[in-house]
Amino acid sequence: MRSASVRRHPNGNRDLRGRRSLAVLLAGVALTGSVVPTFAETLNGALVKAYYNNPSLNAQRAGTRAADENVPIATSGYLPHVAATGDVGYQYSNASGAGTTASSAVSAATGATGNTGSTGVGGATGVGGTAGSTGTTTGLGSTTSSGAAGVADTVPRGVGLQVSQTLFDGLRTTNSVRQAESNVFGSRETLRNTVQSVLQSAAQSYMDVLRDTATLELRNSNIKVLDEQLRQTNDRFKVGEVTRTDVAQAESGLAGARADYYTAQANLQNSIASFRQVVGEQPTRLEPAQPLTRGLPTSLAQAITVSQVEHPNVQAALHNVDVAELQVKIAEGALLPTVSLSGSVAQRYDVSNVAGSSAFVGFVGGAINVPIYEGSAPYATIRQAKESLGQARFQVDVVRDQVRAAVISAWGLLESSRIVVQSDQSAVNASEIALNGVREEARVGQRTTLDVLNAQQTLLNARVALVGAQRDRVVATYAVLSSIGRLSTGILSLNVKEYNPVVHFEQVKDKWVGLRTPDGR
């Protein structure tokens, strides 16, 4: 048997090349067989391609890496905040006459009698006064004077460094870090579930292409048989052995077979498109696949038990409960005191409008903030977080019920597919015997052309049903593994370098600075 492959015609349509599909025709028309085409693509090979190429899976991996960054974001609450400051300006003042002041600085207040005015913190003495004149008190970098006329033209400027460190914030940072880690664990479970979904979809698409290829070959073979049947019927009509009605029946059967062929061809095109979407490449020559045996539970009860513990959706829901619990603690932390430490240094020039003057200022201090009442928002936020926690706990039950229903459904399909394969195989064998008998009886005039056509159609339907049943059995094994949370590259023995999300997490969790991601972006 030669396997079918896909080729593109000049008009853009795809067709099947080869007249023997991977697992069709002859005895049983099975999707499994002993003849394997050279360089054929295996199901495991397609799963490997999907593991590397599937865009949904790669997008989820990126999402998991993004979730990792929430940990250093939360950890930043432990770290100091450092900021450099700098400023520069131009100040012009023109003072003339007693009691007259001119300055771009802040308004002055009356000082003591003397020829110099005093300034605020970081300021400098005023100039230009005379004995008995009234000085003024100004802020940093400004000055005024009265008395004789005076002009000041300066450039106040300075640089500084500020450092602040939170010592206690009501354990909000600690709980935020733990919450971020729980989110990371939940994201990993979501990634694991995405891997399962992609592998299951790839296996289904692979088997759909095999099934539709086999069905198309069956339809094509049926056309050949019916075409020969029509030719023989016409010959017998010419010699008067059958009537025009027999010829019309043969023509009708051939026309219906051709319509079924084009329908099967369209179905194959859809399956090929789905395969390309999931796997990332066009299917070529697909090797027959066998149902899975490794990792399958021995009973439905065992399957349900395993799923309630191992399924990634259940694990992700449990991590969401942890996230909600920590959110309550974070909200409660807003009612606790906050203790912080801060310090700053600054170097100023042309202070208080005195050209060439300078001042150095350093400051270290601590602060405590004890909330007394800040409106209703903090209390409502805490109550809201508690309700969200209750919702998350209920959601665990919802997810477990959904997983349980999926396990029962998949297990039922697996059990029924085994029986259906046996029944369809028996139907094919019986239909072959019946068709041979009807043909022999038709030769001696005991059966009509319609009887032969009906027997031929019955055999065709049985073969198509067997192909579908065998496809369903293989797909059902993957569905069961996915429903219990065990469909993984390890169970399938795929030859891949498995993606490990822990690697990226370890690379970024303690990263204090840097704009580039570990992969170079």
Side-chain angles (χ1 to χ4, degrees), residues 106 168 195 202 287 306 333 352 396 400 427:
V106 296
F168 181 76
V195 171
E287 180 182 340
V306 171
S352 298
V396 173
R400 280 182 169 151

Side-chain angles (χ1 to χ4, degrees), residues 104-132:
S104 62
V106 296
S107 60
T110 303
T113 302
N115 61 353
T116 61
S118 61
T119 65
V121 178
T125 57
V127 294
T130 60

Side-chain angles (χ1 to χ4, degrees), residues 433-514:
I433 295 173
L435 176 60
N436 292 333
V438 170
R439 283 174 175 171
E440 291 298 327
E441 292 173 358
R443 289 191 181 97
V444 296
Q446 295 180 354
R447 293 281 187 170
T448 64
T449 300
L450 181 60
D451 293 331
V452 175
L453 293 174
N454 288 338
Q456 176 68 29
Q457 187 64 41
T458 299
L459 175 59
L460 175 65
N461 293 338
R463 286 176 171 173
V464 171
L466 177 58
V467 168
Q470 290 178 324
R471 172 263 181 199
D472 293 342
R473 183 179 178 185
V474 174
V475 171
T477 58
Y478 284 84
V480 169
L481 273 183
S482 177
S483 68
I484 65 175
R486 286 185 175 177
L487 187 59
S488 64
T489 58
I491 289 291
L492 299 178
S493 300
L494 299 183
N495 185 22
V496 298
K497 182 179 180 181
E498 190 168 0
Y499 179 81
N500 186 2
V502 179
V503 174
H504 181 268
F505 177 77
E506 293 294 333
Q507 291 173 332
V508 302
K509 69 174 184 177
D510 296 323
K511 194 171 185 178
W512 289 13
V513 295

Side-chain angles (χ1 to χ4, degrees), residues 76 86 368 373 406 431:
S76 66
I368 182 171
Y373 181 73
S431 297

Side-chain angles (χ1 to χ4, degrees), residues 9-333:
H9 287 275
N11 61 6
N13 294 326
R14 298 184 183 92
D15 198 2
L16 293 177
R17 184 177 55 200
R19 291 306 180 186
R20 290 293 184 267
S21 67
L22 289 171
V24 298
L25 300 180
L26 303 181
V29 195
L31 281 174
T32 58
S34 59
V35 180
V36 179
T38 306
F39 304 115
E41 181 174 12
T42 64
L43 175 54
N44 276 8
L47 296 180
V48 169
K49 292 179 181 179
Y51 186 78
Y52 286 129
N53 301 334
N54 188 269
S56 297
L57 182 52
N58 287 327
Q60 186 57 49
R61 288 169 181 155
T64 302
R65 292 193 294 271
D68 292 343
E69 298 291 353
N70 287 327
V71 174
I73 291 174
T75 306
S76 66
Y78 290 130
L79 305 179
H81 292 194
V82 182
T85 62
D87 66 274
V88 62
Y90 173 76
Q91 181 169 302
Y92 170 79
S93 64
N94 185 353
S96 61
T100 302
T101 63
S103 176
S104 62
V106 296
S107 60
T110 303
T113 302
N115 61 353
T116 61
S118 61
T119 65
V121 178
T125 57
V127 294
T130 60
S133 63
T134 302
T136 60
T137 301
T138 66
L140 178 64
S142 65
T143 182
T144 61
S145 62
S146 63
V151 176
D153 190 3
T154 60
V155 182
R157 60 198 183 276
V159 293
L161 185 69
Q162 298 177 347
V163 180
S164 63
Q165 172 67 62
T166 300
L167 302 180
F168 181 76
D169 61 356
L171 299 178
R172 280 176 287 180
T173 296
T174 300
N175 291 319
S176 294
V177 172
R178 294 172 59 193
Q179 185 186 55
E181 291 174 345
S182 294
N183 273 321
V184 168
F185 297 146
S187 179
R188 292 177 187 176
E189 294 301 325
T190 301
L191 174 60
R192 190 160 68 91
N193 190 60
T194 303
V195 171
Q196 288 199 146
S197 299
V198 168
L199 293 178
Q200 182 183 356
S201 297
Q204 180 175 330
S205 298
Y206 185 99
M207 297 307 300
D208 285 347
V209 173
L210 276 180
R211 177 200 61 195
D212 293 339
T213 301
T215 301
L216 187 65
E217 280 294 333
L218 286 170
R219 299 296 185 189
N220 183 60
S221 298
N222 189 46
I223 290 175
K224 293 180 179 180
V225 172
L226 293 179
D227 187 58
E228 177 63 20
Q229 181 73 30
L230 176 60
R231 188 189 65 79
Q232 293 178 3
T233 303
N234 279 324
D235 291 342
R236 295 176 65 189
F237 173 71
K238 291 177 182 179
V239 298
E241 294 182 3
V242 296
T243 65
R244 183 62 187 171
T245 300
D246 294 308
V247 176
Q249 289 172 340
E251 291 174 344
S252 175
L254 179 59
R258 286 173 175 163
D260 292 339
Y261 173 84
Y262 289 114
T263 299
Q265 192 176 52
N267 292 335
L268 177 59
Q269 297 303 317
N270 290 334
S271 296
I272 290 173
S274 297
F275 184 97
R276 172 65 177 80
Q277 179 182 4
V278 177
V279 177
E281 295 183 8
Q282 289 289 107
T284 52
R285 293 167 300 192
L286 305 185
E287 180 182 340
Q290 297 287 345
L292 292 174
T293 55
R294 182 182 177 186
L296 287 176
T298 57
S299 64
L300 176 59
Q302 182 186 9
I304 293 176
T305 301
V306 171
S307 69
Q308 298 300 291
V309 177
E310 297 187 16
H311 198 281
N313 282 347
V314 174
Q315 292 295 321
L318 292 174
H319 287 303
N320 287 338
V321 172
D322 295 337
V323 170
E325 287 179 344
L326 291 166
Q327 185 59 43
V328 173
K329 296 180 179 180
I330 293 171
E332 291 173 343

